[in-house]
Amino acid sequence: MRFNLDTILILDFGSQTTQLIGRRIRELGVYSEIIPGDSPLSEELLSGKTLTDTGGRTGGGIRGVILSGSPESVYTEAGAAPDPRVYRLGIPLLGICYGLQRMTWDQGGCVDPLPKREYGAIGVKIRAVPPCTEQEAGRSGGHAGNAEKTQRFLAGFDKAVSLQDITEGFSAAAKTDNPPVSDSVPAEYRDCSFTAWMSHGDTLTRLADGFREYGTSVSGYSAVVIHEEEPWFGLQFHPEVTHCERGMEILAAFVFGVCGCKREWTMEQYMEGLKDSLFKRIGANPVLLLISGGVDSTVAGALLLKTLPADQVHLMYMDTGLMRKNETETVKTALERLGAEHLHIIHAETEFLDALKGLEDPEAKRKVIGDLFISIQEREVARLGLPETCFLAQGTLYTDLIESGKGIGKKARLIKSHHNVGSPLVDAKRKAGRIVEPLDRLYKDEVRVLGSILGVDEEVVRRHPFPGPGLAVRIPGEVTREKCAILREADAVFIDELKKRRSAHGRSLYDEIWQAFAVLLPIRSVGVAGDERKYGWVLALRAITSADGMTADVYPFPSRDLLEISTLITNTVRDIGRVTYDISSKPPATIEWE
Ligand code: XMP
């Protein structure tokens, strides 16, 4: 199958945000492909004949190339370089952070360490330098049209130009060959200063020949650089990061204004590609997927079931007894509705609760749960008697890879080791080249979209994240069957209410919140119920907003909602005597309590 999608090729030099660039381009409705930064750029690849995405399909025309950031420096050996042919293609290039430094270095400019790293929100001033005219470009032997491309690129910085103007104006212009809508881009760049997001320890100290500086950071370093003759653009900051003002507009200005891409990428196409490649890779072999009950593994399950005959697909789910209310039933129903034939549900509540007896230390609890999870999993997989050729599928997301691979925190690594990465089964399958992780280029909200397209129950698709060790990390102190039962009830009341209540924007509170749950504190407090003294447990409610769980803000409930929910919980869950609301953001607190 050959697809002719307009493609942005991303050369990955190892930045943590490379996948985010790909994701933003997809959000703009344009197909993007990420390959290692130093990959050879053969004619064949550039003509799209060998270019493959996770879907295994061939790509269409490459309209532009983005050189990503990197943790390395261009002047060290570790700093990888692109195939020099990238500079002879005549295809627009956008260098982001290291990508810009790379272009500068490769073209004979200078890059040196900064005395102090620039990190976080930094103001950028766009300078009133008019781009060179077509005649100037022509005189110096450059490609005609770069002045126009420069104008179009700079529209991304102009606060008078909306994202819609850029995406619709430029992509329509690209289709009809009409002149661009850049009349609104003021020659003097009236209001083009903005707050960018940076993370760099090196800076340009001399531009390469032919480049001109269009923007500087408040500290005076080059932030926006454009070549006068070639369609080469460079940004010292990261437009792909949400905190970067005008980030999407700048990327859109490159993708539509400079590269002339059409908006033709959809999740449906991506899904078809994923199915193709899964089908080719797994063939007639059986595949085993370990289902956690969360969105990711359920969507991975749906994808397998929609791709392969149901009798090839084995799904294994472990009820640890530490699940949310009705969790096992919901997952079972959702998977059966998707046509699951081999759904192995392991009921291991007693084993887990026995192992947790007497344990109070959070890390000790996590370790016991993680180890037991792995040993039961090994035992049960062996019991299934699947052949050696069996594939192991995982619902790994891109953010899981960042967390485990780059080791953002100790707990982040534990997330992976608990669920899959550290298990001997996964190690053995990885060694044998029999692991499939079809969602590993997607972010959680993209997985939700994919899940809806695949027909996964909305209740599962919209479900908030849930940690592998389950309620055990929401019961500080010793975990008992009774405490699990109380917490399950209280949590269900809280969550049901969030689903019923609407925010000022008309959405349910549940959908507005990224993750909400209750925590059963190891404290009892005195109260009254009727005429009687009550000595009930204290419950903490937690609700946060977040993009990916790495940072989080407290959800600012209207106080009426909180008061009513509190009353409802204490009235319906007999053992709860008092309710508090956790008002800690992450950092410094984590989302879970343990
Ligand atoms: P923290 O508490 O580290 O949580 O701020 C960030 C996100 O990760 C989830 N989480 C886990 N997920 N296994 C998981 O699968 C774990 O051990 C684990 N610990 C935390 C947490 O619910 C939040 O969404």
Side-chain angles (χ1 to χ4, degrees):
M1 212 176 339
R2 194 180 194 301
F3 281 73
N4 266 316
L5 296 183
D6 284 352
T7 300
I8 296 290
L9 182 66
I10 301 172
L11 300 183
D12 177 18
F13 293 104
S15 159
Q16 288 212 358
T17 56
T18 305
Q19 290 287 341
L20 200 50
I21 304 173
R23 190 233 153 106
R24 297 286 177 241
I25 309 282
R26 292 199 290 275
E27 274 178 45
L28 292 171
V30 172
Y31 179 66
S32 71
E33 177 73 31
I34 300 177
I35 61 170
D38 54 1
S39 307
L41 298 178
S42 61
E43 281 299 315
E44 210 186 14
L45 178 122
L46 293 165
S47 64
K49 287 195 189 106
T50 60
L51 187 68
T52 55
D53 63 3
T54 30
R57 67 165 86 124
T58 49
I62 293 172
R63 303 255 166 220
V65 178
I66 296 182
L67 289 78
S68 86
S70 169
E72 309 296 346
S73 292
V74 286
Y75 46 78
T76 64
E77 244 176 55
D83 183 333
R85 278 178 285 192
V86 79
Y87 300 113
R88 301 201 288 268
L89 300 171
I91 292 179
L93 305 181
L94 174 65
I96 293 180
C97 194
Y98 174 91
L100 161 64
Q101 295 164 9
R102 191 73 251 177
M103 281 163 54
T104 304
W105 186 262
D106 292 348
Q107 298 302 312
C110 290
V111 175
D112 287 291
L114 279 171
K116 191 167 164 270
R117 194 177 171 77
E118 280 194 306
Y119 183 82
I122 310 248
V124 167
K125 210 164 168 40
I126 299 296
R127 292 200 310 172
V129 179
C132 69
T133 61
E134 302 263 343
Q135 286 117 329
E136 279 172 330
R139 265 205 311 277
S140 55
H143 294 280
N146 209 40
E148 186 182 299
K149 287 196 173 87
T150 300
Q151 280 289 341
R152 286 168 164 231
F153 185 66
L154 290 170
F157 297 81
D158 181 357
K159 289 183 183 157
V161 181
S162 71
L163 182 59
Q164 201 180 356
D165 288 342
I166 296 170
T167 49
E168 287 176 12
F170 286 143
S171 61
K175 271 187 223 144
T176 59
D177 280 343
N178 283 336
V181 291
S182 55
D183 294 351
S184 50
V185 184
E188 69 280 21
Y189 310 122
R190 271 192 314 266
D191 187 15
C192 295
S193 296
F194 66 105
T195 305
W197 197 89
M198 301 206 186
S199 174
H200 64 120
D202 292 330
T203 186
L204 312 190
T205 42
R206 198 188 70 225
L207 301 191
D209 282 352
F211 280 98
R212 228 189 233 211
E213 187 183 82
Y214 281 82
T216 43
S217 74
V218 282
S219 357
Y221 300 109
S222 298
V224 183
V225 164
I226 303 175
H227 200 280
E228 289 181 319
E229 297 161 17
E230 304 285 350
W232 297 345
F233 302 81
L235 304 171
Q236 186 49 74
F237 55 89
H238 289 271
E240 68 278 16
V241 170
T242 23
H243 311 294
C244 181
E245 221 186 321
R246 304 281 311 164
M248 273 309 254
E249 287 84 352
I250 294 166
L251 284 174
F254 177 71
V255 168
F256 299 116
V258 174
C259 304
C261 287
K262 290 193 275 306
R263 305 183 75 194
E264 52 191 359
W265 185 88
T266 61
M267 184 57 92
E268 280 85 353
Q269 284 168 343
Y270 190 70
M271 178 185 75
E272 289 307 324
L274 285 176
K275 284 161 89 179
D276 267 6
S277 87
L278 277 175
F279 190 75
K280 285 192 190 120
R281 181 106 197 272
I282 298 174
N285 293 301
V287 57
L288 170 68
L289 173 73
L290 306 165
I291 299 262
S292 70
V295 184
D296 317 339
S297 54
T298 313
V299 172
L303 193 62
L304 291 174
L305 289 165
K306 297 280 174 193
T307 305
L308 303 164
D311 66 350
Q312 254 176 273
V313 182
H314 295 261
L315 306 168
M316 185 179 274
Y317 168 86
M318 199 182 314
D319 183 341
T320 59
L322 305 166
M323 324 306 285
R324 291 169 281 194
K325 190 172 177 185
N326 297 334
E327 179 130 33
T328 304
E329 264 317 295
T330 311
V331 174
K332 186 166 177 281
T333 314
L335 291 167
E336 282 172 353
R337 279 200 43 226
L338 290 162
E341 282 179 12
H342 303 302
L343 178 57
H344 313 281
I345 296 187
I346 305 158
H347 294 280
E349 181 181 21
T350 308
E351 276 178 274
F352 277 92
L353 289 175
D354 284 352
L356 284 166
K357 234 175 229 157
L359 289 185
E360 292 192 355
D361 176 64
E363 284 308 311
K365 281 159 63 178
R366 277 178 170 270
K367 177 144 182 24
V368 159
I369 295 170
D371 290 350
L372 189 58
F373 198 92
I374 289 167
S375 64
I376 298 181
Q377 185 181 292
E378 298 275 309
R379 182 185 78 202
E380 296 296 323
V381 171
R383 199 191 297 229
L384 289 183
L386 294 167
E388 279 287 294
T389 52
C390 177
F391 277 83
L392 185 71
Q394 301 195 105
T396 319
L397 299 194
Y398 183 66
T399 36
D400 301 333
L401 293 179
I402 308 178
E403 290 196 345
S404 58
K406 307 273 162 69
I408 285 169
K410 206 165 101 265
K411 200 155 144 203
R413 276 198 291 275
L414 196 67
I415 292 174
K416 297 301 297 174
S417 65
H418 166 56
H419 256 314
N420 27 43
V421 168
S423 101
L425 172 69
V426 173
D427 291 346
K429 287 291 177 191
R430 204 174 287 286
K431 240 194 203 146
R434 290 192 171 266
I435 291 265
V436 282
E437 295 177 302
L439 310 181
D440 66 354
R441 298 205 187 175
L442 298 179
Y443 284 75
K444 190 147 219 119
D445 48 346
E446 293 181 305
V447 169
R448 290 200 161 107
V449 174
L450 178 61
S452 294
I453 297 171
L454 285 162
V456 178
D457 286 351
E458 273 306 298
E459 191 180 345
V460 175
V461 165
R462 288 164 45 217
R463 207 145 214 219
H464 288 175
F466 189 61
L471 300 185
V473 292
R474 297 178 179 174
I475 302 177
E478 188 183 9
V479 179
T480 62
R481 195 181 296 265
E482 294 67 37
K483 282 188 182 173
C484 287
I486 298 169
L487 178 56
R488 233 187 314 269
E489 278 312 308
D491 186 72
V493 174
F494 180 35
I495 298 299
D496 281 352
E497 278 305 299
L498 296 182
K499 287 182 177 165
K500 282 185 207 149
R501 290 168 185 262
R502 306 268 131 207
S503 74
H505 307 112
R507 291 210 305 164
S508 78
L509 294 186
Y510 186 78
D511 287 338
E512 207 130 283
I513 290 167
W514 197 79
Q515 189 173 9
F517 54 90
V519 181
L520 186 68
L521 303 187
I523 305 168
R524 295 221 266 173
S525 86
V526 175
V528 281
D531 289 336
E532 281 182 34
R533 180 179 180 277
K534 182 174 165 182
Y535 194 47
W537 293 105
V538 180
L539 188 81
L541 302 181
R542 182 113 170 99
I544 51 106
T545 54
S546 176
D548 49 21
M550 294 196 202
T551 59
D553 292 313
V554 176
Y555 182 70
F557 273 111
S559 51
R560 223 190 75 200
D561 286 314
L562 273 183
L563 297 179
E564 289 173 1
I565 290 171
S566 162
T567 307
L568 196 67
I569 291 175
T570 44
N571 282 349
T572 46
V573 189
R574 211 173 38 89
D575 298 278
I576 302 291
R578 201 172 285 262
V579 176
T580 65
Y581 185 47
D582 178 352
I583 51 167
S584 327
S585 60
K586 173 184 178 176
T590 49
I591 296 174
E592 301 294 343
W593 276 46
E594 288 196 334

